[in-house]
Amino acid sequence: MSTWRNEEWQSGDPAMDTEHQKLHQMASSMTAVVMNDPGLGLATEAVDVLRERMRLHFRMEEQALARTDPESASILKEDHARLLLLLGRVRDALADGGIEDCKHLLTEFNTAMDKHDREVDIPLFRMQNKGKRDPLAS
Ligand SMILES: [Fe+2]
Ligand SMILES: [Fe+2]
């Protein structure tokens, strides 16, 4: 989850890196709330808030890429839909009251988010930002 703080994994666009740090802070907060849910319904609300925030984040990324690389934007969109599905499963497990299932699904979601950042977001936005810095770069 600390991917975006690691210099090795920065995208080349400070605004994009800051946006990811904020999103990851929210995901960490949601994880803490779910792991410590005393049964007050706070966990479900935390998941819903993150889900809406993720939708906005994903839309921003897809629009940013669609302008310069529509083919990659569709790959991005597909992986985003998968992440939302994984978070939806966490919410379903919460609704069913299966806390152990929920914790397992939450770990799966966080691992998938990290993998998405390392293998999809960062390479794509790095490529896009490289193009912005030098229009003649291949
Ligand atoms: Fe992202
Ligand atoms: Fe993304």
Side-chain angles (χ1 to χ4, degrees):
M1 298 295 274
S2 58
T3 304
W4 295 86
R5 286 200 190 94
N6 188 338
E7 269 184 40
E8 194 189 333
W9 290 109
Q10 284 172 356
S11 69
D13 178 350
M16 184 63 89
D17 294 346
T18 303
E19 159 61 14
H20 280 91
Q21 285 173 15
K22 285 182 188 164
L23 188 72
H24 280 243
Q25 276 164 11
M26 280 190 73
S28 298
S29 300
M30 181 276 291
T31 300
V33 172
V34 171
M35 292 298 189
N36 300 294
D37 182 29
L40 295 173
L42 295 173
T44 306
E45 202 173 324
V47 172
D48 288 344
V49 168
L50 181 66
R51 193 154 59 166
E52 281 317 301
R53 182 65 175 76
M54 280 174 59
R55 280 190 220 280
L56 294 174
H57 175 88
F58 291 162
R59 200 179 312 146
M60 176 277 293
E61 285 187 345
E62 288 159 18
Q63 285 172 353
L65 211 60
R67 288 191 288 270
T68 55
D69 187 353
E71 203 173 307
S72 298
S74 69
I75 295 169
L76 195 64
K77 201 169 182 169
E78 209 171 289
D79 212 39
H80 288 162
R82 188 181 62 90
L83 290 170
L84 287 169
L85 201 79
L86 289 175
L87 189 58
R89 286 190 192 142
V90 173
R91 198 191 188 285
D92 292 345
L94 276 171
D96 293 343
I99 194 65
E100 286 315 310
D101 269 359
C102 182
K103 285 179 180 175
H104 171 73
L105 290 164
L106 189 56
T107 303
E108 198 179 323
F109 165 75
N110 281 321
T111 304
M113 276 281 280
D114 231 19
K115 190 172 158 68
H116 172 83
D117 286 344
R118 275 186 280 109
E119 297 179 7
V120 182
D121 274 6
I122 291 172
L124 287 179
F125 289 106
R126 228 180 227 184
M127 209 161 62
Q128 194 187 39
N129 291 318
K130 194 177 163 196
K132 273 183 201 165
R133 276 201 304 271
D134 179 2
L136 299 176
S138 58

